[in-house]
Amino acid sequence: LADLLIGVKWADNGATTDVGSSYVVYGKTSTSAVNLSAITAGTDGFVMIGESAGSMSRKWPSSIRMT
């Protein structure tokens, strides 16, 4: 698996709606499944979350903040 970016345009962040998020999954050589909860925890990748309501980070990359 090569590095992979998964965009979720309408994702919410707590009470803030439509911030969007993007999951970066690090590539690997094994064929084991990728668990997105591990990515959220900072293992095997990371998550980028939109800055404010309506920013939809997957659509507008300039609105992404690193977490």
Side-chain angles (χ1 to χ4, degrees):
L1 172 70
D3 291 348
L4 178 67
L5 176 66
I6 302 169
V8 186
K9 180 178 175 181
W10 301 107
D12 297 336
N13 183 20
T16 308
T17 60
D18 301 338
V19 296
S21 61
S22 298
Y23 294 81
V24 175
V25 181
Y26 297 140
K28 59 183 186 170
T29 57
S30 72
T31 59
S32 61
V34 174
N35 187 336
L36 289 183
S37 65
I39 306 302
T40 303
T43 304
D44 298 329
F46 59 93
V47 181
M48 298 178 284
I49 300 172
E51 187 63 27
S52 59
S55 64
M56 298 179 286
S57 76
R58 186 205 59 88
K59 184 175 180 183
W60 306 108
S62 63
S63 66
I64 296 172
R65 70 177 163 83
M66 303 301 286
T67 58

